[in-house]
Amino acid sequence: MGGLLYNTYVSMKGKRFVWFFTVMTVLFIAIRMIFPGWRNLTSYISYDLEGNQLNEWDRIIAFFPLFMIVIALEFTNLWVSQCVEKDEKNKIREYISAMPLRKNTYVASKFAYIGIVTYIFFSLGMVWTITAGAFSIDPGAIREADMTQGIMMSIFAVSLFSSGLELFLFLILGKKKAMMIKVGFFLALGIAVIGFLLFGNLLVFEKINWEAIMNWINTHQFEVVLIQILSSASGLLLYFGFYKLTCALYKPEGRIE
Amino acid sequence: MRKTESINNNTKIINTDTAAKADLKRLLIYLGLCFGMTWLWFFAVNPKFTRWNDLSRYMASFISLGMLFPVISHVLTRLITKEGFKVYGKDSAMFGISFKDRKWIYFMLAILLPCLITELGNLFAILFCGQLFDPGYPKELDVDFRIFFLQPLAAIFTGVVGSFAAFGEEGGWRGYMMPKLMKLFGGKKTLPLIIGGIIWGLWHAPLTCIGHNFGTDYPGFPFLGILMMCAFCILMGVILTFLTELSGSVWPAAIMHAVTNAQPSALIGFMNDTGVDPVKALWVNWGGMMISLLIVAAVCIFIWRKNKTTF
C-alpha cells in the first residue's frame, strides 16, 4: 500500500507540488507578517461612500486563501483523472495484478491518495485563512476570512464526493469512457444553464425571499449546526461508499469492456 | 569459551552504551529544535506578550500554528541524524496507519475518550461546586440549548477533519520524543512518561504565561500555571502514548488531541461561572479534569500492563 501511494506520488510529480505549496504558504505568512493590516500603507487606504475607511491591502490579501483553495481543488480534480491515466499508460495495473497483492489494494491506494491530498489541502486552507484573518483590521476582510472558513468544510466535502465519483468512473470504466461521461455531463449542464439564462424565467430569482432565509438561519441555530455537520459528514460517507462500490466492481486485470 | 562470552557481553554493553548516547544526542537535537523554533515563533508573533483573552480569534489561532513545530522538528532531526523516514513499524516516524489486528479500536477510543474525559471532568467540577451548574445558562446566552447536545458530535467532526495542528504536536511528541525516552530508559515507561509530560508542559510555558490555559488572575501566576500544565500533560501524555504505542501510529493521538481541544462536552453549555470566585472556578475545573484524566490514565496503564510486560 505504501509503495503504491509512493508510486502515485512520484507519477504525479508530487515533490514539485509539495515545494510549490510550501513556498507559497511560507511566502504568504512572511508577507502577511511583514505587512500586517495595521501597517500604514497609505496607498492602500480608500473610503466608501459613507466615509468609512477601507483597508484595500487587507481586502486583497483576503482573496488569497480563496484563490489558493480554488487552485488546490483544481489540482485535486486534475490528479484524479491523471493518476488513473498514467497507470493505464504505463501499464501499472497489469503489473500490479501480477503481484501478490490483495484485489482491493490498488483501489484503496488511489482513494487513500486523493483522501490524503484533500486532507492536506483542507489543512492548508485553514492555515491560509487563519493567516489572512490574523493580520487584518478591515472588517470586510475579516468577514471574508470568516466566510471562507465557514464554507471550506462544505467545499471540501463536495470535492471529496466528486473525487470519489470520478475515481469510481475512471477505475471501473477506464479513462476514455469516464472522460466522455464527465465532459458530457458538464456540457449538458453548461447548455442547460445557458438555455435557462437565454429563455428561462429569470424572475424566479426575484421571488426568492433572502430575508426570510437569513431570518430562518438566525433563528434555527440547532438545525443550521446539524445541517453543517451532516452535509460535511455525508461527503466523507459518500466517498467511502464510492470506495466500497469500486472495490466490488473493480476487475484487477483491467477495466470492464 | 568463557573469554569469548565475556568479550561478547562487553561488546554488547559498549554497543548499548553507544546506542543510548546516540539516542540521547538525537533527542537533544530534537528538543533544541522544537523548543527553539516554537518559542521563537511565540515571541515573534506576539512580541508585546498580549494576553490570550485580548487576542483576536484569528491571531490566537495564528499563534497556535506553533503546534506544527514539533512535527517539523521531528522531520528536521531525522534529516540531520540521517535516521531515515520509515512511516510505519519499529523505529519509524509512526506517521502511517494500519487497521490490522483490530487496531481500529484505538481510533475509536481516540474519538470517544475525549468525550468521556471532558464530560466526566465537567461532572466532577459541578459536584465540587454545585453553583457552576446553571440550567438556564443557554437562555441567558440566547442560544438554543439543543446545540450543546450536538457539541460532542461537532467537536468530534471538526477534531477529526481539522486534526492537522494536533498532528503537528503529536507527530513530534509521540512520534519522536516518547519512543526515544522509552529507549533511553530501557523500555521502562513510568519515568519516561513523567519526564515526557514535564517537557511537553514546559513547551507550553510561553502560552501559559499569556493566560492561554488558566487565564492570568490566579495566585502564583504564571509559575503555578506552568506546574498545573505539566501535571495535565503527564496524565494526558499517558493516554496519548498508550494509544500511539498500541496502534503503532501517531494518528489516534492526534485525533484525540484535536477532539479534546474542541471541547466535546454537552455539560459545558450549562456551566456558568458568573458569581463564582474565579480562583475557585479555576481549581474546580482543573481538579475535575485531572481526576477524570487520572481515572482514564489508570485504566490505560492497567490495559498496557496486561499487553506489555515492560511497564
Side-chain angles (χ1 to χ4, degrees), chain B residues 135-191:
Chain B
Y137 194 46
K139 212 172 188 180
E140 204 178 300
L141 290 173
D142 196 22
V143 176
D144 186 341
F145 77 97
R146 291 177 302 166
I147 278 186
F148 295 115
F149 295 106
L150 273 185
Q151 173 59 19
L153 192 65
I156 287 170
F157 196 71
T158 49
V160 173
V161 176
S163 55
F164 75 99
F167 169 71
E169 272 202 54
E170 297 309 324
W173 302 126
R174 249 46 66 183
Y176 197 82
M177 182 186 75
M178 287 315 294
K180 285 279 177 287
L181 276 174
M182 282 182 186
K183 255 186 170 183
L184 281 171
F185 286 89
K188 291 239 172 5
K189 289 186 175 68
T190 317
L191 205 56

Short mmCIF file of all heavy atoms in Angstrom, two decimals, chain B residues 135-191:
data_model
loop_
_atom_site.label_atom_id
_atom_site.label_comp_id
_atom_site.label_asym_id
_atom_site.label_seq_id
_atom_site.Cartn_x
_atom_site.Cartn_y
_atom_site.Cartn_z
N PRO B 135 -28.91 25.52 34.66
CA PRO B 135 -29.71 25.01 33.52
C PRO B 135 -30.26 26.13 32.63
O PRO B 135 -30.57 25.89 31.46
CB PRO B 135 -30.87 24.26 34.20
CG PRO B 135 -30.50 24.15 35.63
CD PRO B 135 -29.52 25.19 35.96
N GLY B 136 -30.35 27.33 33.18
CA GLY B 136 -30.90 28.43 32.39
C GLY B 136 -29.84 29.21 31.62
O GLY B 136 -30.14 30.23 30.99
N TYR B 137 -28.59 28.73 31.68
CA TYR B 137 -27.49 29.48 31.05
C TYR B 137 -27.65 29.64 29.52
O TYR B 137 -27.43 30.73 29.00
CB TYR B 137 -26.16 28.79 31.40
CG TYR B 137 -24.93 29.63 31.09
CD1 TYR B 137 -24.87 30.98 31.45
CD2 TYR B 137 -23.83 29.07 30.45
CE1 TYR B 137 -23.74 31.74 31.17
CE2 TYR B 137 -22.70 29.83 30.18
CZ TYR B 137 -22.66 31.15 30.54
OH TYR B 137 -21.56 31.90 30.26
N PRO B 138 -28.05 28.58 28.79
CA PRO B 138 -28.23 28.75 27.34
C PRO B 138 -29.22 29.87 27.01
O PRO B 138 -29.03 30.63 26.08
CB PRO B 138 -28.76 27.40 26.87
CG PRO B 138 -28.31 26.45 27.89
CD PRO B 138 -28.32 27.19 29.18
N LYS B 139 -30.29 29.98 27.84
CA LYS B 139 -31.30 31.02 27.61
C LYS B 139 -30.67 32.40 27.82
O LYS B 139 -30.92 33.34 27.06
CB LYS B 139 -32.47 30.80 28.57
CG LYS B 139 -33.80 31.24 27.98
CD LYS B 139 -34.94 30.84 28.88
CE LYS B 139 -36.26 31.11 28.19
NZ LYS B 139 -37.38 30.74 29.02
N GLU B 140 -29.84 32.46 28.87
CA GLU B 140 -29.16 33.72 29.19
C GLU B 140 -28.24 34.13 28.03
O GLU B 140 -28.11 35.31 27.71
CB GLU B 140 -28.32 33.49 30.44
CG GLU B 140 -28.02 34.76 31.23
CD GLU B 140 -27.24 34.42 32.49
OE1 GLU B 140 -27.75 33.66 33.34
OE2 GLU B 140 -26.11 34.90 32.58
N LEU B 141 -27.63 33.13 27.39
CA LEU B 141 -26.72 33.40 26.26
C LEU B 141 -27.48 33.58 24.95
O LEU B 141 -26.88 33.88 23.92
CB LEU B 141 -25.73 32.24 26.08
CG LEU B 141 -24.66 32.04 27.14
CD1 LEU B 141 -23.90 30.75 26.87
CD2 LEU B 141 -23.69 33.20 27.18
N ASP B 142 -28.80 33.37 25.01
CA ASP B 142 -29.66 33.43 23.83
C ASP B 142 -29.22 32.38 22.78
O ASP B 142 -29.09 32.68 21.59
CB ASP B 142 -29.65 34.84 23.23
CG ASP B 142 -30.82 35.04 22.28
OD1 ASP B 142 -31.80 34.30 22.41
OD2 ASP B 142 -30.74 35.92 21.39
N VAL B 143 -28.98 31.18 23.28
CA VAL B 143 -28.56 30.08 22.41
C VAL B 143 -29.54 28.93 22.59
O VAL B 143 -29.98 28.65 23.70
CB VAL B 143 -27.12 29.61 22.79
CG1 VAL B 143 -26.71 28.41 21.97
CG2 VAL B 143 -26.12 30.74 22.63
N ASP B 144 -29.90 28.28 21.47
CA ASP B 144 -30.76 27.11 21.53
C ASP B 144 -30.03 26.01 22.31
O ASP B 144 -28.94 25.57 21.90
CB ASP B 144 -31.04 26.64 20.08
CG ASP B 144 -32.04 25.50 20.02
OD1 ASP B 144 -32.25 24.84 21.05
OD2 ASP B 144 -32.61 25.27 18.93
N PHE B 145 -30.61 25.58 23.45
CA PHE B 145 -29.89 24.65 24.33
C PHE B 145 -29.57 23.32 23.66
O PHE B 145 -28.62 22.62 24.03
CB PHE B 145 -30.67 24.42 25.63
CG PHE B 145 -31.83 23.49 25.50
CD1 PHE B 145 -31.71 22.16 25.84
CD2 PHE B 145 -33.06 23.95 25.03
CE1 PHE B 145 -32.79 21.28 25.70
CE2 PHE B 145 -34.14 23.09 24.89
CZ PHE B 145 -34.01 21.76 25.22
N ARG B 146 -30.33 22.97 22.61
CA ARG B 146 -30.11 21.67 21.94
C ARG B 146 -28.75 21.63 21.25
O ARG B 146 -28.19 20.57 21.02
CB ARG B 146 -31.21 21.43 20.91
CG ARG B 146 -32.58 21.17 21.54
CD ARG B 146 -33.63 21.01 20.49
NE ARG B 146 -33.71 22.18 19.62
CZ ARG B 146 -34.36 22.20 18.45
NH1 ARG B 146 -34.96 21.12 18.03
NH2 ARG B 146 -34.40 23.29 17.71
N ILE B 147 -28.22 22.85 20.95
CA ILE B 147 -26.90 22.93 20.29
C ILE B 147 -25.83 22.26 21.15
O ILE B 147 -24.92 21.61 20.64
CB ILE B 147 -26.53 24.41 20.02
CG1 ILE B 147 -27.23 24.85 18.74
CG2 ILE B 147 -25.03 24.61 19.91
CD1 ILE B 147 -26.85 26.22 18.27
N PHE B 148 -25.98 22.40 22.47
CA PHE B 148 -24.96 21.83 23.36
C PHE B 148 -24.94 20.30 23.31
O PHE B 148 -23.93 19.68 23.59
CB PHE B 148 -25.15 22.34 24.78
CG PHE B 148 -24.91 23.82 24.88
CD1 PHE B 148 -25.93 24.70 25.21
CD2 PHE B 148 -23.65 24.35 24.58
CE1 PHE B 148 -25.70 26.07 25.27
CE2 PHE B 148 -23.43 25.71 24.63
CZ PHE B 148 -24.45 26.57 24.97
N PHE B 149 -26.11 19.71 22.95
CA PHE B 149 -26.12 18.25 22.81
C PHE B 149 -25.46 17.82 21.50
O PHE B 149 -25.06 16.67 21.35
CB PHE B 149 -27.55 17.71 22.92
CG PHE B 149 -28.14 17.95 24.28
CD1 PHE B 149 -29.11 18.92 24.47
CD2 PHE B 149 -27.67 17.25 25.38
CE1 PHE B 149 -29.62 19.18 25.74
CE2 PHE B 149 -28.18 17.50 26.64
CZ PHE B 149 -29.16 18.47 26.82
N LEU B 150 -25.38 18.76 20.57
CA LEU B 150 -24.68 18.48 19.31
C LEU B 150 -23.17 18.71 19.45
O LEU B 150 -22.39 18.27 18.62
CB LEU B 150 -25.19 19.41 18.20
CG LEU B 150 -26.41 19.03 17.40
CD1 LEU B 150 -26.64 20.05 16.31
CD2 LEU B 150 -26.24 17.66 16.76
N GLN B 151 -22.81 19.46 20.50
CA GLN B 151 -21.41 19.87 20.67
C GLN B 151 -20.42 18.70 20.61
O GLN B 151 -19.42 18.79 19.89
CB GLN B 151 -21.27 20.68 21.98
CG GLN B 151 -19.85 21.05 22.39
CD GLN B 151 -19.11 21.89 21.37
OE1 GLN B 151 -19.73 22.49 20.49
NE2 GLN B 151 -17.79 21.92 21.47
N PRO B 152 -20.67 17.57 21.33
CA PRO B 152 -19.71 16.46 21.21
C PRO B 152 -19.53 15.98 19.77
O PRO B 152 -18.41 15.75 19.32
CB PRO B 152 -20.32 15.36 22.09
CG PRO B 152 -21.19 16.07 23.04
CD PRO B 152 -21.73 17.25 22.30
N LEU B 153 -20.66 15.88 19.06
CA LEU B 153 -20.62 15.41 17.67
C LEU B 153 -19.84 16.41 16.79
O LEU B 153 -18.99 16.02 15.99
CB LEU B 153 -22.05 15.26 17.15
CG LEU B 153 -22.23 14.52 15.83
CD1 LEU B 153 -21.82 13.07 15.96
CD2 LEU B 153 -23.67 14.62 15.36
N ALA B 154 -20.16 17.70 16.99
CA ALA B 154 -19.46 18.74 16.22
C ALA B 154 -17.97 18.74 16.53
O ALA B 154 -17.14 18.88 15.63
CB ALA B 154 -20.07 20.10 16.53
N ALA B 155 -17.64 18.55 17.81
CA ALA B 155 -16.23 18.55 18.22
C ALA B 155 -15.49 17.36 17.62
O ALA B 155 -14.36 17.49 17.14
CB ALA B 155 -16.12 18.51 19.75
N ILE B 156 -16.17 16.20 17.61
CA ILE B 156 -15.56 15.00 17.02
C ILE B 156 -15.29 15.26 15.54
O ILE B 156 -14.20 15.01 15.03
CB ILE B 156 -16.47 13.76 17.20
CG1 ILE B 156 -16.45 13.31 18.65
CG2 ILE B 156 -16.03 12.62 16.30
CD1 ILE B 156 -17.49 12.25 18.99
N PHE B 157 -16.30 15.80 14.88
CA PHE B 157 -16.18 16.01 13.44
C PHE B 157 -15.09 17.04 13.10
O PHE B 157 -14.20 16.76 12.30
CB PHE B 157 -17.53 16.42 12.86
CG PHE B 157 -17.56 16.27 11.39
CD1 PHE B 157 -17.58 15.00 10.81
CD2 PHE B 157 -17.51 17.36 10.57
CE1 PHE B 157 -17.55 14.85 9.45
CE2 PHE B 157 -17.49 17.23 9.20
CZ PHE B 157 -17.51 15.96 8.64
N THR B 158 -15.18 18.21 13.74
CA THR B 158 -14.16 19.23 13.44
C THR B 158 -12.78 18.76 13.90
O THR B 158 -11.78 19.07 13.26
CB THR B 158 -14.49 20.58 14.11
OG1 THR B 158 -14.78 20.34 15.48
CG2 THR B 158 -15.63 21.29 13.45
N GLY B 159 -12.76 18.01 15.01
CA GLY B 159 -11.49 17.49 15.51
C GLY B 159 -10.83 16.55 14.52
O GLY B 159 -9.65 16.69 14.20
N VAL B 160 -11.61 15.61 14.00
CA VAL B 160 -11.05 14.62 13.07
C VAL B 160 -10.62 15.30 11.76
O VAL B 160 -9.52 15.08 11.26
CB VAL B 160 -12.07 13.49 12.79
CG1 VAL B 160 -11.58 12.56 11.70
CG2 VAL B 160 -12.34 12.70 14.06
N VAL B 161 -11.51 16.14 11.23
CA VAL B 161 -11.22 16.77 9.94
C VAL B 161 -10.07 17.79 10.07
O VAL B 161 -9.17 17.86 9.24
CB VAL B 161 -12.49 17.44 9.36
CG1 VAL B 161 -12.19 18.18 8.08
CG2 VAL B 161 -13.55 16.38 9.09
N GLY B 162 -10.10 18.55 11.14
CA GLY B 162 -9.06 19.59 11.30
C GLY B 162 -7.97 19.17 12.25
O GLY B 162 -7.51 19.98 13.08
N SER B 163 -7.54 17.91 12.16
CA SER B 163 -6.56 17.40 13.13
C SER B 163 -5.12 17.75 12.79
O SER B 163 -4.20 17.31 13.46
CB SER B 163 -6.71 15.88 13.26
OG SER B 163 -6.59 15.29 11.99
N PHE B 164 -4.91 18.57 11.73
CA PHE B 164 -3.53 18.81 11.29
C PHE B 164 -2.67 19.48 12.37
O PHE B 164 -1.50 19.16 12.51
CB PHE B 164 -3.52 19.63 9.99
CG PHE B 164 -3.83 21.08 10.17
CD1 PHE B 164 -2.81 22.03 10.22
CD2 PHE B 164 -5.14 21.51 10.29
CE1 PHE B 164 -3.09 23.37 10.38
CE2 PHE B 164 -5.43 22.84 10.45
CZ PHE B 164 -4.41 23.78 10.50
N ALA B 165 -3.28 20.42 13.13
CA ALA B 165 -2.48 21.12 14.14
C ALA B 165 -2.10 20.16 15.26
O ALA B 165 -0.95 20.16 15.73
CB ALA B 165 -3.26 22.30 14.68
N ALA B 166 -3.06 19.32 15.67
CA ALA B 166 -2.77 18.34 16.71
C ALA B 166 -1.75 17.31 16.20
O ALA B 166 -0.89 16.86 16.96
CB ALA B 166 -4.04 17.65 17.14
N PHE B 167 -1.83 16.98 14.92
CA PHE B 167 -0.84 16.07 14.33
C PHE B 167 0.55 16.72 14.42
O PHE B 167 1.55 16.04 14.64
CB PHE B 167 -1.19 15.75 12.87
CG PHE B 167 -0.09 15.05 12.13
CD1 PHE B 167 0.21 13.73 12.42
CD2 PHE B 167 0.67 15.71 11.18
CE1 PHE B 167 1.26 13.08 11.76
CE2 PHE B 167 1.71 15.07 10.52
CZ PHE B 167 2.00 13.75 10.81
N GLY B 168 0.56 18.04 14.26
CA GLY B 168 1.82 18.79 14.39
C GLY B 168 2.48 18.53 15.73
O GLY B 168 3.69 18.34 15.82
N GLU B 169 1.68 18.50 16.79
CA GLU B 169 2.25 18.24 18.12
C GLU B 169 2.56 16.77 18.32
O GLU B 169 3.66 16.39 18.70
CB GLU B 169 1.27 18.70 19.20
CG GLU B 169 1.43 20.15 19.60
CD GLU B 169 0.86 20.44 20.97
OE1 GLU B 169 1.24 19.76 21.93
OE2 GLU B 169 0.04 21.37 21.07
N GLU B 170 1.56 15.94 18.06
CA GLU B 170 1.72 14.51 18.35
C GLU B 170 2.78 13.85 17.47
O GLU B 170 3.47 12.93 17.91
CB GLU B 170 0.38 13.79 18.22
CG GLU B 170 -0.68 14.25 19.20
CD GLU B 170 -0.19 14.27 20.64
OE1 GLU B 170 0.58 13.38 21.02
OE2 GLU B 170 -0.58 15.20 21.37
N GLY B 171 2.89 14.33 16.22
CA GLY B 171 3.92 13.80 15.33
C GLY B 171 5.32 13.99 15.91
O GLY B 171 6.25 13.24 15.60
N GLY B 172 5.46 15.00 16.75
CA GLY B 172 6.75 15.24 17.39
C GLY B 172 6.87 14.58 18.75
O GLY B 172 7.78 13.80 19.00
N TRP B 173 5.89 14.85 19.62
CA TRP B 173 6.00 14.33 21.00
C TRP B 173 5.85 12.81 21.03
O TRP B 173 6.67 12.12 21.61
CB TRP B 173 4.93 14.97 21.90
CG TRP B 173 5.01 16.46 21.95
CD1 TRP B 173 4.01 17.34 21.69
CD2 TRP B 173 6.16 17.26 22.29
NE1 TRP B 173 4.47 18.63 21.83
CE2 TRP B 173 5.78 18.61 22.20
CE3 TRP B 173 7.47 16.98 22.64
CZ2 TRP B 173 6.66 19.66 22.44
CZ3 TRP B 173 8.35 18.01 22.88
CH2 TRP B 173 7.94 19.33 22.78
N ARG B 174 4.77 12.32 20.43
CA ARG B 174 4.53 10.88 20.48
C ARG B 174 5.33 10.16 19.39
O ARG B 174 5.70 9.00 19.54
CB ARG B 174 3.03 10.60 20.29
CG ARG B 174 2.29 10.08 21.50
CD ARG B 174 2.53 10.75 22.78
NE ARG B 174 2.05 12.13 22.82
CZ ARG B 174 2.21 12.94 23.85
NH1 ARG B 174 2.87 12.55 24.93
NH2 ARG B 174 1.74 14.18 23.82
N GLY B 175 5.57 10.84 18.29
CA GLY B 175 6.27 10.19 17.17
C GLY B 175 7.78 10.14 17.34
O GLY B 175 8.44 9.27 16.76
N TYR B 176 8.34 11.06 18.13
CA TYR B 176 9.79 11.07 18.26
C TYR B 176 10.28 11.06 19.72
O TYR B 176 11.06 10.21 20.11
CB TYR B 176 10.38 12.27 17.53
CG TYR B 176 11.87 12.13 17.26
CD1 TYR B 176 12.32 11.40 16.17
CD2 TYR B 176 12.80 12.68 18.12
CE1 TYR B 176 13.68 11.23 15.93
CE2 TYR B 176 14.16 12.51 17.90
CZ TYR B 176 14.59 11.79 16.79
OH TYR B 176 15.93 11.61 16.57
N MET B 177 9.75 12.03 20.50
CA MET B 177 10.29 12.17 21.86
C MET B 177 10.02 10.93 22.73
O MET B 177 10.96 10.40 23.35
CB MET B 177 9.68 13.40 22.53
CG MET B 177 10.22 13.63 23.93
SD MET B 177 9.41 14.98 24.79
CE MET B 177 7.84 14.25 25.20
N MET B 178 8.78 10.47 22.78
CA MET B 178 8.46 9.36 23.68
C MET B 178 9.20 8.06 23.33
O MET B 178 9.75 7.43 24.24
CB MET B 178 6.94 9.12 23.74
CG MET B 178 6.15 10.17 24.52
SD MET B 178 6.85 10.66 26.10
CE MET B 178 6.71 9.17 27.04
N PRO B 179 9.23 7.65 22.04
CA PRO B 179 10.00 6.43 21.74
C PRO B 179 11.47 6.56 22.16
O PRO B 179 12.06 5.61 22.66
CB PRO B 179 9.87 6.29 20.22
CG PRO B 179 8.64 7.03 19.87
CD PRO B 179 8.54 8.16 20.83
N LYS B 180 12.03 7.75 21.94
CA LYS B 180 13.44 7.95 22.31
C LYS B 180 13.61 7.88 23.83
O LYS B 180 14.54 7.25 24.33
CB LYS B 180 13.93 9.33 21.81
CG LYS B 180 14.17 9.37 20.32
CD LYS B 180 15.52 8.76 19.94
CE LYS B 180 15.73 8.74 18.46
NZ LYS B 180 14.94 7.75 17.70
N LEU B 181 12.70 8.52 24.57
CA LEU B 181 12.78 8.49 26.03
C LEU B 181 12.65 7.05 26.54
O LEU B 181 13.39 6.62 27.43
CB LEU B 181 11.68 9.35 26.64
CG LEU B 181 11.96 10.85 26.77
CD1 LEU B 181 10.73 11.58 27.25
CD2 LEU B 181 13.11 11.12 27.74
N MET B 182 11.71 6.32 25.97
CA MET B 182 11.49 4.94 26.40
C MET B 182 12.71 4.07 26.11
O MET B 182 13.08 3.21 26.91
CB MET B 182 10.25 4.36 25.75
CG MET B 182 9.01 4.87 26.44
SD MET B 182 7.58 4.16 25.71
CE MET B 182 6.30 5.02 26.56
N LYS B 183 13.33 4.32 24.98
CA LYS B 183 14.54 3.58 24.63
C LYS B 183 15.64 3.89 25.64
O LYS B 183 16.36 3.02 26.09
CB LYS B 183 15.01 4.00 23.23
CG LYS B 183 14.74 2.98 22.16
CD LYS B 183 15.38 3.48 20.91
CE LYS B 183 15.41 2.48 19.81
NZ LYS B 183 16.12 3.01 18.65
N LEU B 184 15.76 5.17 25.96
CA LEU B 184 16.81 5.60 26.90
C LEU B 184 16.64 4.98 28.27
O LEU B 184 17.61 4.76 28.98
CB LEU B 184 16.81 7.13 27.03
CG LEU B 184 17.48 7.89 25.89
CD1 LEU B 184 17.23 9.38 26.01
CD2 LEU B 184 18.99 7.63 25.89
N PHE B 185 15.38 4.73 28.65
CA PHE B 185 15.13 4.14 29.96
C PHE B 185 14.93 2.63 29.88
O PHE B 185 14.26 2.04 30.73
CB PHE B 185 13.94 4.83 30.64
CG PHE B 185 14.29 6.20 31.13
CD1 PHE B 185 14.13 7.31 30.32
CD2 PHE B 185 14.82 6.38 32.40
CE1 PHE B 185 14.46 8.58 30.75
CE2 PHE B 185 15.16 7.65 32.84
CZ PHE B 185 14.99 8.75 32.03
N GLY B 186 15.45 2.04 28.84
CA GLY B 186 15.46 0.59 28.71
C GLY B 186 14.08 -0.04 28.62
O GLY B 186 13.86 -1.12 29.15
N GLY B 187 13.15 0.64 27.99
CA GLY B 187 11.82 0.06 27.79
C GLY B 187 10.86 0.32 28.94
O GLY B 187 9.67 0.07 28.83
N LYS B 188 11.39 0.83 30.08
CA LYS B 188 10.50 1.15 31.21
C LYS B 188 9.66 2.36 30.82
O LYS B 188 10.11 3.21 30.04
CB LYS B 188 11.34 1.46 32.45
CG LYS B 188 12.05 0.25 33.01
CD LYS B 188 11.60 0.04 34.43
CE LYS B 188 12.04 -1.22 35.10
NZ LYS B 188 12.92 -2.14 34.49
N LYS B 189 8.46 2.46 31.36
CA LYS B 189 7.57 3.52 30.87
C LYS B 189 7.26 4.61 31.89
O LYS B 189 7.03 5.75 31.51
CB LYS B 189 6.28 2.91 30.35
CG LYS B 189 6.48 2.14 29.06
CD LYS B 189 5.19 1.67 28.49
CE LYS B 189 5.39 1.00 27.15
NZ LYS B 189 6.12 -0.26 27.23
N THR B 190 7.24 4.27 33.16
CA THR B 190 6.78 5.24 34.16
C THR B 190 7.58 6.54 34.12
O THR B 190 7.02 7.62 33.98
CB THR B 190 6.83 4.62 35.57
OG1 THR B 190 6.33 3.30 35.48
CG2 THR B 190 6.01 5.42 36.55
N LEU B 191 8.91 6.42 34.24
CA LEU B 191 9.75 7.62 34.27
C LEU B 191 9.72 8.38 32.95
O LEU B 191 9.55 9.61 32.96
CB LEU B 191 11.19 7.21 34.65
CG LEU B 191 12.03 8.31 35.29
CD1 LEU B 191 11.35 8.88 36.52
CD2 LEU B 191 13.41 7.78 35.66
#
